[in-house]
Amino acid sequence: MTDHDSQLPALSYRRDDEIDLRDIALMLLDGWKWILGSVATAVVLALVFVTIAPQSYPASTSYTPSSEGLRLLNEMPDIDYSAASTQTELELKLGSFGNLRDFIDDHPEWQSIAQSEADEQDVTLDEHLRLHYFDKLTITRPGKDGTGPHQLSLVYPESLQGAALLNDYLAWTERQYAQVLAQRAEHSLETALARNSEEMQAHLEAYRDSVNVEITRLQEQHDVQLAELDDQLQAEKNAERKSRQERIRTLTQAEAIAQRLGITQPTSPPAFGENGQTQVSRGDSGNATSLPLYFMGTQALAAEKEVVEQSLEQEASTPAIREIEKELAQLRHQRQIEALQQRSDDSSFVDAYNQLSQENTLLRANRVTADDIDIIEVVNLAYRPNRPEGPGKALVLALAVILGGMLGVMLVMCVSFSRSLKRYRAQRA
């Protein structure tokens, strides 16, 4: 037994199982070296931990959905985004490693820092980004009530400007997503323009078909009118020819009568001595007088008959025929059909076409760019805190002293109990 062991008094054995606190106090006082050594060891370990342990700094930026940032976007055709849906899609991009990798590649300054850190740790850039950037990135949403801002947080080492990185990452991701929304709006616009153009062409073709039908209908009506007028004209000419033929027959009969009566020159009944004789009326030839034709004499009747016979070979011309020919001349040129056939542009006559054309003009003037879109409004930008995350050095040292003291007391009590047990066995033997 060493001198130090002799300084540790053993607990006296009492049959009543009572423990005297004075014995415990004396035991602890005699074992102060054990307790002091335990405390010193804990403090040394704490100092080593504080020295070599990396210090982490938390940074977070808070944001809310933009109230008017989607107004111009939702004015585009077939576009209807809500603030909640765009914010959710943005957060999906924020929580994507591929998006973070694209951000690093798009910013040479951050890529240089991350590559240097990866080279120091002898790992690939993707492994370093996933371990020290992506895994330290969190998105916090409001509670069950759904009110309040969302937060994007990052825990980063002292050597990294994590707050600036977080702000740049959020702004870059929002800008990229705004460009995606603008591209979707552009695609929707082009689709609407193409759809309207197709409808315009369909309306124009339908109108042209209707014009062709109208031309066919008018042409048929025109042909029918021409045929009817031609029939009327031919009927009038035939009637006039028959009238002349009937006149020749009448003149021939009258000439035969005049020849039998020996009338060669025009005369009258008193002069001829035929008062009261039955007369052949000249009303058949259209004359207003009732004097028989044979009183005209054979010479006059032969002359008239010769003239009428010659007119049979000539075109007849009566007021009715001239009126029909006038109508035919007017129908030879169908101005309405000619106007329809000579049109070079039918669009001016199609209301639906013009309406869609005006709509396309307005759509082309209503384009949306990424600068017109605001998805979120940043409430607070991330900043570097004054102190690192976790307990401070003083607290670590205080806990080390307390835990070292407790460990020392337990060690003294265990050693004292072990020696007391050995003494008890020796006395029983």
Side-chain angles (χ1 to χ4, degrees):
M1 181 178 298
T2 63
D3 295 338
H4 178 68
D5 293 338
S6 62
Q7 293 176 1
L8 294 175
L11 291 175
S12 59
Y13 174 74
R14 294 179 176 82
R15 296 187 178 276
D16 56 3
D17 295 332
E18 292 181 357
I19 298 177
D20 191 350
L21 295 179
R22 291 174 296 179
D23 295 338
I24 296 177
L26 291 174
M27 177 187 64
L28 295 177
L29 288 175
D30 291 339
W32 65 272
K33 292 182 179 181
W34 291 87
I35 297 175
L36 182 60
S38 177
V39 171
T41 302
V43 170
V44 171
L45 293 175
L47 290 174
V48 172
F49 171 77
V50 171
T51 302
I52 66 174
Q55 293 181 339
S56 299
Y57 290 82
S60 62
T61 177
S62 56
Y63 53 90
T64 58
S66 177
S67 57
E68 293 292 329
L70 303 177
R71 182 176 57 84
L72 294 178
L73 177 65
N74 287 331
E75 290 179 358
M76 302 301 292
D78 302 327
I79 295 293
D80 185 17
Y81 284 102
S82 65
S85 64
T86 53
Q87 181 173 344
T88 300
E89 192 169 356
L90 174 64
E91 290 177 346
L92 290 175
K93 291 182 176 295
L94 288 171
S96 168
F97 178 76
N99 185 71
L100 177 63
R101 188 68 168 84
D102 293 340
F103 165 75
I104 295 297
D105 292 339
D106 198 41
H107 293 77
E109 64 278 13
W110 295 119
Q111 185 182 29
S112 176
I113 295 173
Q115 187 64 56
S116 299
E117 294 173 347
D119 293 340
E120 291 177 0
Q121 299 175 10
D122 195 21
V123 295
T124 63
L125 180 59
D126 285 350
E127 291 175 345
H128 178 71
L129 290 176
R130 187 176 296 275
L131 181 62
H132 296 282
Y133 288 73
F134 182 70
D135 291 346
K136 303 295 183 181
L137 193 67
T138 58
I139 299 175
T140 305
R141 296 177 176 83
K144 295 182 178 179
D145 55 356
T147 59
H150 294 213
Q151 284 189 345
L152 179 66
S153 303
L154 176 67
V155 178
Y156 59 94
E158 186 177 6
S159 60
L160 181 66
Q161 296 179 356
L165 172 67
L166 193 65
N167 292 330
D168 290 349
Y169 180 57
L170 178 61
W172 180 86
T173 303
E174 182 188 10
R175 185 168 59 253
Q176 293 296 114
Y177 182 46
Q179 292 177 357
V180 171
L181 293 178
Q183 291 174 358
R184 293 177 184 174
E186 183 69 18
H187 180 267
S188 177
L189 176 62
E190 294 299 331
T191 301
L193 290 174
R195 182 172 60 249
N196 287 349
S197 297
E198 291 177 359
E199 291 184 11
M200 290 167 59
Q201 188 64 28
H203 284 297
L204 191 59
E205 292 177 357
Y207 177 76
R208 287 172 179 171
D209 291 340
S210 66
V211 168
N212 292 333
V213 172
E214 181 68 12
I215 290 175
T216 302
R217 185 181 63 81
L218 292 175
Q219 187 67 48
E220 183 177 348
Q221 291 179 354
H222 176 255
D223 293 342
V224 171
Q225 290 178 351
L226 284 178
E228 290 178 348
L229 289 176
D230 283 336
D231 292 343
Q232 292 180 12
L233 179 61
Q234 191 63 35
E236 288 291 336
K237 288 182 178 181
N238 292 336
E240 180 64 19
R241 184 178 182 81
K242 290 181 178 180
S243 175
R244 290 178 183 180
Q245 291 175 347
E246 180 63 23
R247 180 65 176 173
I248 291 174
R249 186 185 64 80
T250 302
L251 291 174
T252 300
Q253 292 177 353
E255 183 182 7
I257 295 173
Q259 189 174 6
R260 288 184 180 183
L261 295 176
I263 302 175
T264 59
Q265 298 293 330
T267 185
S268 61
F272 190 69
E274 292 186 8
N275 293 331
Q277 182 182 352
T278 303
Q279 300 173 348
V280 178
S281 176
R282 296 179 62 182
D284 296 337
S285 63
N287 242 323
T289 179
S290 58
L291 187 66
L293 285 177
Y294 54 82
F295 281 103
M296 294 176 58
T298 56
Q299 294 180 357
L301 290 172
E304 183 179 355
K305 184 176 71 172
E306 182 180 359
V307 171
V308 175
E309 288 176 346
Q310 291 177 355
S311 66
L312 287 176
E313 305 300 329
Q314 299 175 356
E315 288 289 336
S317 178
T318 63
I321 292 176
R322 288 193 296 272
E323 183 65 25
I324 294 174
E325 289 177 342
K326 178 181 177 181
E327 293 182 12
L328 284 172
Q330 291 176 347
L331 287 177
R332 297 300 177 187
H333 300 283
Q334 182 55 266
R335 300 304 180 185
Q336 186 175 2
I337 295 177
E338 292 175 358
L340 292 174
Q341 291 175 338
Q342 293 175 0
R343 280 183 187 173
S344 59
D345 184 12
D346 295 327
S347 60
S348 301
F349 302 90
V350 186
D351 294 337
Y353 180 95
N354 295 325
Q355 182 179 356
L356 290 172
S357 178
Q358 293 175 1
E359 183 178 343
N360 277 0
T361 301
L362 294 176
L363 287 175
R364 291 188 181 95
N366 194 27
R367 296 184 180 274
V368 175
T369 63
D371 295 334
D372 300 324
I373 302 173
D374 289 326
I375 303 168
I376 58 173
E377 295 179 356
V378 178
V379 179
N380 291 312
L381 289 172
Y383 62 92
R384 184 185 181 94
N386 297 327
R387 296 179 180 179
E389 186 182 40
K393 293 182 179 180
L395 180 59
V396 172
L397 292 176
L399 290 175
V401 170
I402 294 173
L403 292 176
M406 294 175 61
L407 183 60
V409 170
M410 293 178 62
L411 183 60
V412 170
M413 292 181 67
C414 288
V415 172
S416 177
F417 177 75
S418 176
R419 291 174 179 171
S420 176
L421 185 58
K422 291 181 179 179
R423 190 177 300 109
Y424 173 74
R425 287 180 175 176
Q427 290 177 358
R428 293 288 301 268

